Amino acid sequence: MVCFTQDTSIPEHEQWVITCFMVGDPGRQRSIPPEAQRGEAVVTHIKKACHEIGVEMPEPIATHEFEWAEHDTFLGAPSPVMGVDVLSTDAGKSLREPFRNIVFFSGTETALESEGFMDGALRAWSRSATEVIAYLKALHSILE
Ligand SMILES: Cc1cc2nc3c(=O)[nH]c(=O)nc-3n(C[C@H](O)[C@H](O)[C@H](O)COP(=O)(O)OP(=O)(O)OC[C@H]3O[C@@H](n4cnc5c(N)ncnc54)[C@H](O)[C@@H]3O)c2cc1C
């Protein structure tokens, strides 16, 4: 059910958190039962996983959930998952190529490294900003 987890604790606040992600088919399946049952199922899964590595997880004080797929602009999971070679071949290039020098594409999905993460977003921003600057310089030299 839980596909991957992150330790998002803030020790200085004594706040101990495990962020659990459910994506793809397991995520879609998980959306079906009522909300109360969903939280319980996640806790049971994590407890079982901890038990298997010899750690007994204490009962959580609270669980919170957010359906990223229902968010107006996210429409899905935190990270795009693309097949092997998609980003580095022509299909990937078409994600990044400006459209008639009018529309420039940025966003973590267009990064060659760390796509789906903040690092990828910054790399993509840097690349697309360089493209826009080069275009404006070229335009400026034509108009001079
Ligand atoms: C739950 C969750 C946890 C995450 N955890 C991590 C983490 O621990 N580490 C990490 O590195 N990354 C993490 N990420 C991923 C990270 O947040 C993204 O990779 C990053 O924010 C992408 O940046 P971006 O600039 O490409 O896109 P976004 O941050 O998505 O920015 C796109 C912007 O465009 C706006 N927009 C969309 N459509 C339109 C439109 N039609 N008109 C105008 N505006 C529009 C959106 O509102 C949004 O503000 C997480 C993401 C999620 C959802």
Side-chain angles (χ1 to χ4, degrees), residues 13 17 19 23 32 35 47 49 56 64 71-72 85-86 95 102 116 125 130-131 133 135 137:
H13 294 176
V17 183
T19 302
V23 300
I32 296 167
E35 194 173 327
K47 273 187 176 170
E56 296 311 319
H64 301 282
H71 191 283
D72 286 350
D85 278 351
V86 169
L95 282 177
I102 303 171
W125 169 80
T130 306
E131 287 169 2
I133 291 167
Y135 170 67
K137 277 186 179 165

mmCIF file of all heavy atoms in Angstrom, residues 13 17 19 23 32 35 47 49 56 64 71-72 85-86 95 102 116 125 130-131 133 135 137:
data_model
loop_
_atom_site.group_PDB
_atom_site.id
_atom_site.type_symbol
_atom_site.label_atom_id
_atom_site.label_comp_id
_atom_site.label_asym_id
_atom_site.label_seq_id
_atom_site.Cartn_x
_atom_site.Cartn_y
_atom_site.Cartn_z
ATOM 1 N N HIS A 13 11.533 20.510 17.510
ATOM 2 C CA HIS A 13 10.152 20.703 17.998
ATOM 3 C C HIS A 13 9.622 19.420 18.649
ATOM 4 O O HIS A 13 8.441 19.352 18.983
ATOM 5 C CB HIS A 13 9.214 21.076 16.836
ATOM 6 C CG HIS A 13 9.511 22.410 16.231
ATOM 7 N ND1 HIS A 13 8.841 22.890 15.137
ATOM 8 C CD2 HIS A 13 10.410 23.363 16.567
ATOM 9 C CE1 HIS A 13 9.320 24.089 14.815
ATOM 10 N NE2 HIS A 13 10.282 24.384 15.669
ATOM 11 N N VAL A 17 7.635 12.476 12.717
ATOM 12 C CA VAL A 17 6.674 12.272 11.617
ATOM 13 C C VAL A 17 7.240 11.317 10.573
ATOM 14 O O VAL A 17 8.420 11.401 10.205
ATOM 15 C CB VAL A 17 6.361 13.619 10.908
ATOM 16 C CG1 VAL A 17 5.317 13.431 9.815
ATOM 17 C CG2 VAL A 17 5.906 14.679 11.906
ATOM 18 N N THR A 19 6.254 10.557 6.742
ATOM 19 C CA THR A 19 5.376 10.905 5.618
ATOM 20 C C THR A 19 5.329 9.705 4.681
ATOM 21 O O THR A 19 6.379 9.183 4.282
ATOM 22 C CB THR A 19 5.914 12.144 4.876
ATOM 23 O OG1 THR A 19 5.994 13.223 5.817
ATOM 24 C CG2 THR A 19 4.990 12.554 3.740
ATOM 25 N N VAL A 23 1.212 5.883 -4.358
ATOM 26 C CA VAL A 23 1.138 6.373 -5.742
ATOM 27 C C VAL A 23 0.710 5.256 -6.692
ATOM 28 O O VAL A 23 0.670 4.084 -6.308
ATOM 29 C CB VAL A 23 2.512 6.948 -6.191
ATOM 30 C CG1 VAL A 23 2.929 8.091 -5.296
ATOM 31 C CG2 VAL A 23 3.587 5.868 -6.189
ATOM 32 N N ILE A 32 -10.252 4.470 -2.389
ATOM 33 C CA ILE A 32 -11.621 3.959 -2.436
ATOM 34 C C ILE A 32 -12.297 3.871 -1.052
ATOM 35 O O ILE A 32 -13.386 4.402 -0.873
ATOM 36 C CB ILE A 32 -11.675 2.613 -3.199
ATOM 37 C CG1 ILE A 32 -11.257 2.865 -4.659
ATOM 38 C CG2 ILE A 32 -13.074 2.004 -3.152
ATOM 39 C CD1 ILE A 32 -10.968 1.623 -5.468
ATOM 40 N N GLU A 35 -12.309 7.591 4.585
ATOM 41 C CA GLU A 35 -11.072 8.204 5.078
ATOM 42 C C GLU A 35 -10.550 7.554 6.372
ATOM 43 O O GLU A 35 -9.351 7.294 6.500
ATOM 44 C CB GLU A 35 -11.319 9.703 5.292
ATOM 45 C CG GLU A 35 -10.038 10.479 5.479
ATOM 46 C CD GLU A 35 -10.286 11.979 5.516
ATOM 47 O OE1 GLU A 35 -11.208 12.443 4.826
ATOM 48 O OE2 GLU A 35 -9.550 12.652 6.251
ATOM 49 N N LYS A 47 3.400 -0.281 10.678
ATOM 50 C CA LYS A 47 3.718 -1.078 11.877
ATOM 51 C C LYS A 47 4.296 -2.432 11.470
ATOM 52 O O LYS A 47 5.273 -2.915 12.040
ATOM 53 C CB LYS A 47 2.450 -1.304 12.705
ATOM 54 C CG LYS A 47 2.167 -0.192 13.677
ATOM 55 C CD LYS A 47 0.995 -0.604 14.557
ATOM 56 C CE LYS A 47 0.734 0.432 15.613
ATOM 57 N NZ LYS A 47 -0.505 0.200 16.326
ATOM 58 N N ALA A 49 5.760 -3.222 8.616
ATOM 59 C CA ALA A 49 7.083 -3.054 8.008
ATOM 60 C C ALA A 49 8.147 -2.861 9.090
ATOM 61 O O ALA A 49 9.231 -3.440 9.021
ATOM 62 C CB ALA A 49 7.061 -1.869 7.040
ATOM 63 N N GLU A 56 9.379 -1.964 17.032
ATOM 64 C CA GLU A 56 7.942 -1.888 17.340
ATOM 65 C C GLU A 56 7.526 -0.418 17.310
ATOM 66 O O GLU A 56 7.962 0.377 18.139
ATOM 67 C CB GLU A 56 7.637 -2.523 18.699
ATOM 68 C CG GLU A 56 7.924 -4.027 18.755
ATOM 69 C CD GLU A 56 7.322 -4.823 17.576
ATOM 70 O OE1 GLU A 56 6.177 -4.551 17.173
ATOM 71 O OE2 GLU A 56 8.021 -5.712 17.050
ATOM 72 N N HIS A 64 -2.603 12.490 9.411
ATOM 73 C CA HIS A 64 -3.206 13.487 8.521
ATOM 74 C C HIS A 64 -3.012 13.000 7.095
ATOM 75 O O HIS A 64 -1.976 12.400 6.796
ATOM 76 C CB HIS A 64 -2.508 14.850 8.670
ATOM 77 C CG HIS A 64 -2.575 15.385 10.047
ATOM 78 N ND1 HIS A 64 -3.713 15.984 10.553
ATOM 79 C CD2 HIS A 64 -1.662 15.381 11.047
ATOM 80 C CE1 HIS A 64 -3.475 16.341 11.805
ATOM 81 N NE2 HIS A 64 -2.236 15.981 12.129
ATOM 82 N N HIS A 71 -5.981 17.843 -5.952
ATOM 83 C CA HIS A 71 -5.533 19.232 -5.956
ATOM 84 C C HIS A 71 -5.630 19.770 -7.389
ATOM 85 O O HIS A 71 -5.203 19.107 -8.327
ATOM 86 C CB HIS A 71 -4.083 19.276 -5.456
ATOM 87 C CG HIS A 71 -3.595 20.648 -5.159
ATOM 88 N ND1 HIS A 71 -3.226 21.519 -6.143
ATOM 89 C CD2 HIS A 71 -3.420 21.294 -3.987
ATOM 90 C CE1 HIS A 71 -2.833 22.651 -5.584
ATOM 91 N NE2 HIS A 71 -2.946 22.544 -4.280
ATOM 92 N N ASP A 72 -6.198 20.975 -7.522
ATOM 93 C CA ASP A 72 -6.465 21.526 -8.859
ATOM 94 C C ASP A 72 -5.275 21.508 -9.798
ATOM 95 O O ASP A 72 -5.412 21.271 -10.994
ATOM 96 C CB ASP A 72 -6.926 22.998 -8.742
ATOM 97 C CG ASP A 72 -8.334 23.081 -8.223
ATOM 98 O OD1 ASP A 72 -8.987 22.029 -8.155
ATOM 99 O OD2 ASP A 72 -8.765 24.200 -7.892
ATOM 100 N N ASP A 85 14.815 6.096 -20.570
ATOM 101 C CA ASP A 85 15.169 6.813 -21.815
ATOM 102 C C ASP A 85 14.156 7.867 -22.259
ATOM 103 O O ASP A 85 14.426 8.578 -23.215
ATOM 104 C CB ASP A 85 15.368 5.840 -22.999
ATOM 105 C CG ASP A 85 16.758 5.232 -22.971
ATOM 106 O OD1 ASP A 85 17.564 5.708 -22.142
ATOM 107 O OD2 ASP A 85 17.011 4.307 -23.734
ATOM 108 N N VAL A 86 13.010 7.953 -21.627
ATOM 109 C CA VAL A 86 12.011 8.913 -22.121
ATOM 110 C C VAL A 86 12.579 10.336 -22.107
ATOM 111 O O VAL A 86 12.488 11.072 -23.083
ATOM 112 C CB VAL A 86 10.702 8.849 -21.299
ATOM 113 C CG1 VAL A 86 9.784 10.017 -21.642
ATOM 114 C CG2 VAL A 86 9.984 7.541 -21.562
ATOM 115 N N LEU A 95 9.665 17.859 -24.554
ATOM 116 C CA LEU A 95 9.139 18.458 -23.320
ATOM 117 C C LEU A 95 9.781 19.817 -23.047
ATOM 118 O O LEU A 95 9.228 20.652 -22.352
ATOM 119 C CB LEU A 95 9.450 17.569 -22.107
ATOM 120 C CG LEU A 95 8.624 16.325 -21.852
ATOM 121 C CD1 LEU A 95 9.189 15.590 -20.653
ATOM 122 C CD2 LEU A 95 7.184 16.715 -21.591
ATOM 123 N N ILE A 102 7.953 31.529 -28.280
ATOM 124 C CA ILE A 102 6.911 32.295 -27.578
ATOM 125 C C ILE A 102 6.675 31.671 -26.204
ATOM 126 O O ILE A 102 6.532 32.353 -25.201
ATOM 127 C CB ILE A 102 5.559 32.281 -28.343
ATOM 128 C CG1 ILE A 102 5.733 32.818 -29.752
ATOM 129 C CG2 ILE A 102 4.507 33.076 -27.579
ATOM 130 C CD1 ILE A 102 4.514 32.632 -30.613
ATOM 131 N N GLY A 116 11.106 15.740 -10.725
ATOM 132 C CA GLY A 116 10.160 15.375 -9.662
ATOM 133 C C GLY A 116 10.567 15.930 -8.308
ATOM 134 O O GLY A 116 9.825 15.788 -7.342
ATOM 135 N N TRP A 125 14.448 25.522 -14.108
ATOM 136 C CA TRP A 125 14.288 26.974 -14.115
ATOM 137 C C TRP A 125 15.540 27.627 -14.699
ATOM 138 O O TRP A 125 15.453 28.520 -15.543
ATOM 139 C CB TRP A 125 14.049 27.473 -12.689
ATOM 140 C CG TRP A 125 14.144 28.971 -12.606
ATOM 141 C CD1 TRP A 125 13.170 29.857 -12.948
ATOM 142 C CD2 TRP A 125 15.284 29.735 -12.225
ATOM 143 N NE1 TRP A 125 13.635 31.143 -12.785
ATOM 144 C CE2 TRP A 125 14.927 31.092 -12.347
ATOM 145 C CE3 TRP A 125 16.571 29.408 -11.792
ATOM 146 C CZ2 TRP A 125 15.811 32.126 -12.048
ATOM 147 C CZ3 TRP A 125 17.448 30.434 -11.497
ATOM 148 C CH2 TRP A 125 17.069 31.778 -11.626
ATOM 149 N N THR A 130 17.898 30.599 -19.076
ATOM 150 C CA THR A 130 19.002 30.800 -20.026
ATOM 151 C C THR A 130 18.449 30.883 -21.448
ATOM 152 O O THR A 130 18.887 31.719 -22.248
ATOM 153 C CB THR A 130 20.013 29.631 -19.911
ATOM 154 O OG1 THR A 130 20.402 29.527 -18.552
ATOM 155 C CG2 THR A 130 21.242 29.846 -20.786
ATOM 156 N N GLU A 131 17.470 30.037 -21.752
ATOM 157 C CA GLU A 131 16.859 30.062 -23.090
ATOM 158 C C GLU A 131 16.150 31.394 -23.356
ATOM 159 O O GLU A 131 16.277 31.983 -24.426
ATOM 160 C CB GLU A 131 15.839 28.922 -23.227
ATOM 161 C CG GLU A 131 16.469 27.555 -23.346
ATOM 162 C CD GLU A 131 15.438 26.425 -23.205
ATOM 163 O OE1 GLU A 131 14.224 26.717 -23.051
ATOM 164 O OE2 GLU A 131 15.862 25.270 -23.223
ATOM 165 N N ILE A 133 16.715 34.299 -21.902
ATOM 166 C CA ILE A 133 17.703 35.389 -21.996
ATOM 167 C C ILE A 133 18.359 35.366 -23.379
ATOM 168 O O ILE A 133 18.512 36.406 -24.031
ATOM 169 C CB ILE A 133 18.752 35.276 -20.855
ATOM 170 C CG1 ILE A 133 18.066 35.595 -19.521
ATOM 171 C CG2 ILE A 133 19.939 36.198 -21.103
ATOM 172 C CD1 ILE A 133 18.877 35.225 -18.291
ATOM 173 N N TYR A 135 17.156 34.213 -26.117
ATOM 174 C CA TYR A 135 16.171 34.660 -27.110
ATOM 175 C C TYR A 135 16.033 36.179 -27.086
ATOM 176 O O TYR A 135 16.038 36.839 -28.132
ATOM 177 C CB TYR A 135 14.817 33.989 -26.839
ATOM 178 C CG TYR A 135 13.705 34.579 -27.678
ATOM 179 C CD1 TYR A 135 13.689 34.411 -29.057
ATOM 180 C CD2 TYR A 135 12.707 35.337 -27.078
ATOM 181 C CE1 TYR A 135 12.684 34.986 -29.832
ATOM 182 C CE2 TYR A 135 11.702 35.909 -27.850
ATOM 183 C CZ TYR A 135 11.692 35.736 -29.221
ATOM 184 O OH TYR A 135 10.720 36.304 -29.982
ATOM 185 N N LYS A 137 18.214 38.370 -26.064
ATOM 186 C CA LYS A 137 19.445 38.987 -26.578
ATOM 187 C C LYS A 137 19.443 38.963 -28.099
ATOM 188 O O LYS A 137 19.789 39.952 -28.749
ATOM 189 C CB LYS A 137 20.676 38.229 -26.049
ATOM 190 C CG LYS A 137 21.085 38.659 -24.653
ATOM 191 C CD LYS A 137 22.381 37.977 -24.265
ATOM 192 C CE LYS A 137 22.818 38.412 -22.882
ATOM 193 N NZ LYS A 137 23.852 37.529 -22.350
#
